[in-house]
Amino acid sequence: MIKKKIAIIGLGYVGLSLAVFLGSKFKVIGVDSNKNRITALGKGISYFYEPKIKFYLKRAIKNGLTFTDKIDREIISCDIIFVTVGTPIDKFGSIDLSNIKAVSSDIAKNLANAKNKPTIVIKSTVIPGTTLQVIKPILEKYDLKESEDFDLLTNPEFLREGSAMQDTIAPHVIVIGGSNQKAIQKLTDIYKSAYKKKQNIVETNNITAEVIKYANNAFLATKISFINSIANICQKLPDTNVDKIAEIIGMDPRIGRQFLKAGPGYGGSCFPKDVQALINFAHNIGYDSVLLNAVKNTNSSQVNAVMSLIKQNIKNLNGKKVAILGLAFKENTDDIRESVSTKIISLLLKNGCKVCGHDPKAIDNTRIIFGNKITYTKSLKDALTDSDCAVIMTPWQEYRNIKEKDVLVMKSPIIIDTRRVISMKNKDITQVSLGIGK
Ligand code: UDX
């Protein structure tokens, strides 16, 4: 049997995870306009940290996975072309489609002289209507027609950073949006042969698939803002613990246990951007969502809840050494996009603090923002020694293992735990946990 040929355009978390997963089963070509990334990937080096990705990358390269920085005839000759480029937001909070438009235009140019009929699969998160109203007209520019010259599907992705490979290997659902049954079947067959186990594959139209992705992320963001509101209430109520409350309400199957971990607010490359883009999109079609605005505002004010805890426990911040434990927006990643830690660091610097940032993986990325305005260390001991306060921002495993003796090296052992990962009994240690009332 001839191996199906697949191209994946845009090698961020979604594109690269998919490329290295499918790369061990099909002939896959990964495309990214960033030459440095392509060179590194060709050598089996991922340009970002993600558990297990190195292993899958090396395995896929052995199986024939290749990389290029150009969309050319070779790409167009593929059976399936996944588009996984970034869709950031612009300065007004609306989706910026420039990457996906440029890629669609390149595909169209090459498709104009091609003989085969690829199935183009939009995996990037795009605002409802984009696949058919924006991408399709670009692809049809050179007298090409959907269904005759190419097929166009929408296939959103739900993977999380930090567990990107695990989520790619075992997705909870595969959503395929489109109108051409043959094309839907072609993509379904690819997925069926890629996965050992039977997958939950649902078919719908393009626009519904687009809405599903936003609704999914907005709902998860809502859960987090909700539990953060409960945490802030608990903070003022002696003898309450938000985790206990989350655990019990999570037993109600109508609520569910997941995404009820209170913290400093959600960050990352998806939730903040997608909630904002959905707010703007809804506004543009005539609906102002009170709920989504509240989710967003609750999230952006959570940083103040953390600052209040710091200020309540250190009377005068000026000149104090504060250790920020965790710079990445979540554990198991080096990504600091929209990380609340960077916001806290900026506020602490404004208050005249000396900040020391600690993270097992995200120091290089943080240095790009703060340069020598703060100090950095990978040693927890160095971060804590002589500091006036430590703030746990990211639930890295390393912080769960912090012992009382580790904290006692601090000048004043005050520890603010925004993720409730430690529990100190020693009377010389002041531990304040977000969402636990005292
Ligand atoms: C998210 C979605 O989960 C994923 O389906 C989508 O494809 C991309 O966006 P990601 O941003 O990678 O994934 O990580 P996620 O685990 O969802 O965490 C997002 C943020 O929410 C992090 O800052 C995390 O710390 C925070 N979070 C998550 C909480 O504060 N509490 C929770 O219970 C869960």
Side-chain angles (χ1 to χ4, degrees), residues 158-161 213 259 261 266-267 270 329-330 419:
F158 303 97
L159 67 76
R160 293 159 297 176
E161 290 181 28
K213 171 68 191 190
F259 277 68
K261 273 260 165 265
Y266 57 76
C270 290
F329 82 97
K330 63 180 284 192
R419 305 276 190 166

Side-chain angles (χ1 to χ4, degrees), residues 335-392:
D335 196 346
I336 58 157
R337 284 176 290 176
E338 297 292 327
S339 168
V340 185
S341 302
T342 59
K343 295 180 181 124
I344 287 282
I345 292 172
S346 298
L347 290 171
L348 290 171
L349 289 175
K350 265 194 192 154
N351 280 276
C353 292
K354 292 178 202 144
V355 177
C356 175
H358 175 275
D359 194 285
K361 298 286 177 196
I363 287 179
D364 289 348
N365 285 335
T366 312
R367 208 187 291 274
I368 296 170
I369 297 186
F370 293 105
N372 56 13
K373 287 190 189 131
I374 69 170
T375 57
Y376 308 87
T377 179
K378 279 192 175 179
S379 152
L380 197 50
K381 190 172 173 219
D382 289 350
L384 293 172
T385 302
D386 291 333
S387 62
D388 296 283
C389 176
V391 188
I392 300 178

Side-chain angles (χ1 to χ4, degrees), residues 14 157-162 167 172 213 216-217 220 224 227-228 258-271 274 329-331 338 340 395 419:
V14 172
E157 176 56 54
F158 303 97
L159 67 76
R160 293 159 297 176
E161 290 181 28
D167 292 348
H172 68 276
K213 171 68 191 190
N216 206 98
N217 274 357
L220 294 173
I224 299 170
I227 203 66
N228 283 342
Q258 293 195 41
F259 277 68
L260 287 178
K261 273 260 165 265
Y266 57 76
S269 65
C270 290
F271 287 168
D274 291 350
F329 82 97
K330 63 180 284 192
E331 70 279 33
E338 297 292 327
V340 185
R419 305 276 190 166

Side-chain angles (χ1 to χ4, degrees), residues 21 52 56 163-171 194-196 199:
F21 170 61
K52 297 188 193 155
Y56 281 94
S163 54
M165 284 320 301
Q166 196 183 309
D167 292 348
T168 304
I169 293 161
Y195 290 104
K196 280 190 209 126
Q199 294 299 317

Side-chain angles (χ1 to χ4, degrees), residues 96-371:
D96 171 1
L97 293 173
S98 51
N99 291 335
I100 208 156
K101 282 182 182 169
V103 163
S104 305
S105 188
D106 277 353
I107 293 176
K109 266 182 228 153
N110 285 281
L111 198 54
N113 310 311
K115 289 199 178 67
N116 70 315
K117 180 186 166 192
T119 298
I120 299 163
V121 182
I122 307 302
K123 249 190 175 319
S124 305
T125 300
V126 286
I127 220 69
T130 304
T131 308
L132 296 185
Q133 286 161 29
V134 179
I135 299 172
K136 186 177 151 191
I138 298 176
L139 291 170
E140 289 187 330
K141 214 162 91 187
Y142 301 94
D143 249 353
L144 301 165
K145 277 264 153 289
E146 192 206 351
S147 287
E148 285 171 30
D149 301 297
F150 64 91
D151 287 309
L152 187 57
L153 300 175
T154 310
N155 172 217
E157 176 56 54
F158 303 97
L159 67 76
R160 293 159 297 176
E161 290 181 28
S163 54
M165 284 320 301
Q166 196 183 309
D167 292 348
T168 304
I169 293 161
H172 68 276
V173 68
I174 294 172
V175 178
I176 304 179
S179 51
N180 182 324
Q181 202 49 47
K182 263 193 180 167
I184 294 176
Q185 195 53 50
K186 188 171 156 191
L187 184 59
T188 302
D189 290 344
I190 291 279
Y191 280 129
K192 278 191 176 159
S193 59
Y195 290 104
K196 280 190 209 126
K197 284 191 191 150
K198 197 172 176 297
Q199 294 299 317
N200 180 20
I201 301 179
V202 292
E203 293 174 20
T204 181
N205 59 27
N206 297 83
I207 194 164
T208 305
E210 291 164 337
V211 178
I212 286 169
K213 171 68 191 190
Y214 278 94
N216 206 98
N217 274 357
F219 187 76
L220 294 173
T222 304
K223 277 187 109 174
I224 299 170
S225 278
F226 170 81
I227 203 66
N228 283 342
S229 300
I230 300 296
N232 297 343
I233 293 170
C234 287
Q235 196 78 50
K236 297 182 187 297
L237 288 179
D239 301 324
T240 58
N241 181 334
V242 68
D243 286 332
K244 191 72 195 164
I245 290 154
E247 185 196 332
I248 311 295
I249 64 169
M251 288 175 185
D252 184 333
R254 294 170 298 177
I255 295 175
R257 289 169 197 267
Q258 293 195 41
F259 277 68
L260 287 178
K261 273 260 165 265
Y266 57 76
S269 65
C270 290
F271 287 168
K273 146 183 110 75
D274 291 350
V275 171
Q276 184 62 62
L278 187 55
I279 289 171
N280 284 25
F281 173 75
H283 172 80
N284 291 340
I285 58 167
Y287 174 66
D288 285 313
S289 171
V290 174
L291 175 68
L292 294 176
N293 273 297
V295 168
K296 178 187 106 174
N297 293 337
T298 302
N299 193 60
S300 42
S301 59
Q302 194 61 2
V303 67
N304 302 329
V306 178
M307 269 314 278
S308 298
L309 294 182
I310 299 171
K311 283 182 174 168
Q312 279 158 21
N313 288 281
I314 312 180
K315 291 293 168 267
N316 180 9
L317 282 175
N318 195 21
K320 298 282 168 34
K321 182 187 165 190
V322 181
I324 294 297
L325 307 185
L327 303 167
F329 82 97
K330 63 180 284 192
E331 70 279 33
N332 299 325
T333 180
D334 60 0
D335 196 346
I336 58 157
R337 284 176 290 176
E338 297 292 327
S339 168
V340 185
S341 302
T342 59
K343 295 180 181 124
I344 287 282
I345 292 172
S346 298
L347 290 171
L348 290 171
L349 289 175
K350 265 194 192 154
N351 280 276
C353 292
K354 292 178 202 144
V355 177
C356 175
H358 175 275
D359 194 285
K361 298 286 177 196
I363 287 179
D364 289 348
N365 285 335
T366 312
R367 208 187 291 274
I368 296 170
I369 297 186
F370 293 105

